[in-house]
Amino acid sequence: MYVDKDCGHGRLCAVQPPATDQRTTRMTEERTVTVLVVDDERDIADLYTTWLETDFEVRTAYGGEEALDEVDEDVDVVFLDRQMPQFSGDDVLEQIRDRGIDARVVMVTAVDPDFDIVDMPFDDYLTKPVMREDLTQSVETMLERDGYDDTLQEYFALSAKKATLEAEKTPSELDDNAEYTEMLQRVEELEGEADDAVAGFEDDYESLFQEFPGGE
């Protein structure tokens, strides 16, 4: 299984998790992985639940307030719709982090992402329509990241935001935005620390990287 890594120069690479990190295996062998699906469109929430429940324990919430009732320390991954009435996905995300719940959060939306995502404390971002493979792959990736230290957690989260914005914005829009520029600088700062972490992989360092689909 490969996870995304920002290789600089506008390229994303896939990198194999460290052989010494057995977090994902331990989680799936010792207890059921719990996923929370949050979407105010019941048909979509039920569809995601049907897709995921063959492999994971799934909780379903049809709105923001219900999501906060369902989320707790047993939840591993949250798929969180941004555009919900009364209590938005952004509000739910803020409450999850304020409670100190250490679930991986994947924002899901039909709205094209804007620069406001830079400061949002989510782990990944999916744009609708989302297919079954997108959800299952995202759960696996989030579980792999869950075994990383804080530096790698931040690195991968920022790299996901960087890739999302670069897929939606023009080069001039990116260059003119101060939030993106500051985020890019932070990603570059973290690259050295991330490289030190993955350098400990048992395979040859260079052989672990391959160009991620869509990279230049």
Side-chain angles (χ1 to χ4, degrees), residues 60-148:
T60 309
Y62 302 110
E65 293 187 11
E66 187 177 347
L68 293 176
D69 291 335
E70 292 289 343
V71 70
D72 55 33
E73 291 294 345
D74 292 330
V75 174
D76 300 293
V77 180
V78 181
F79 287 106
L80 180 58
D81 181 30
R82 285 195 72 183
Q83 302 298 116
M84 295 187 293
Q86 298 180 341
F87 211 83
S88 72
D90 294 7
D91 295 330
V92 174
L93 175 62
E94 183 179 359
Q95 287 290 320
I96 289 174
R97 295 313 185 207
D98 286 347
R99 292 182 184 183
I101 295 174
D102 193 29
R104 306 275 67 78
V105 178
V106 180
M107 304 300 289
V108 185
T109 182
V111 179
D112 291 339
D114 207 345
F115 290 106
D116 62 339
I117 71 172
V118 170
D119 294 323
M120 295 176 62
F122 61 78
D123 297 279
D124 210 346
Y125 198 100
L126 295 178
T127 302
K128 295 178 180 179
V130 177
M131 301 294 102
R132 179 174 186 168
E133 294 75 12
D134 299 323
L135 295 176
T136 55
Q137 178 63 53
S138 184
V139 173
E140 293 172 3
T141 299
M142 291 301 100
L143 294 177
E144 287 166 352
R145 291 188 193 177
D146 201 39
Y148 298 163

Side-chain angles (χ1 to χ4, degrees), residues 22-33:
Q22 300 297 322
R23 175 62 181 266
T24 303
T25 301
R26 289 200 304 270
M27 291 182 71
T28 55
E29 288 181 353
E30 294 178 3
R31 68 177 178 84
T32 302
V33 172

Side-chain angles (χ1 to χ4, degrees), residues 14 18 34 41-42 52 57 76 98 108 115 159 169 173 183-184 190 204 207:
T34 300
E41 296 186 51
R42 298 181 71 93
L52 290 166
E57 178 180 313
D76 300 293
D98 286 347
V108 185
F115 290 106
S159 294
K169 302 296 184 180
E173 288 175 323
M183 182 186 70
L184 187 61
L190 290 167
D204 176 71
S207 70

Side-chain angles (χ1 to χ4, degrees), residues 178-196:
E179 292 174 308
Y180 171 81
T181 301
E182 292 176 5
M183 182 186 70
L184 187 61
Q185 292 173 346
R186 180 57 179 160
V187 170
E188 292 173 350
E189 290 173 2
L190 290 167
E191 279 184 357
E193 298 175 57
D195 287 343
D196 288 342

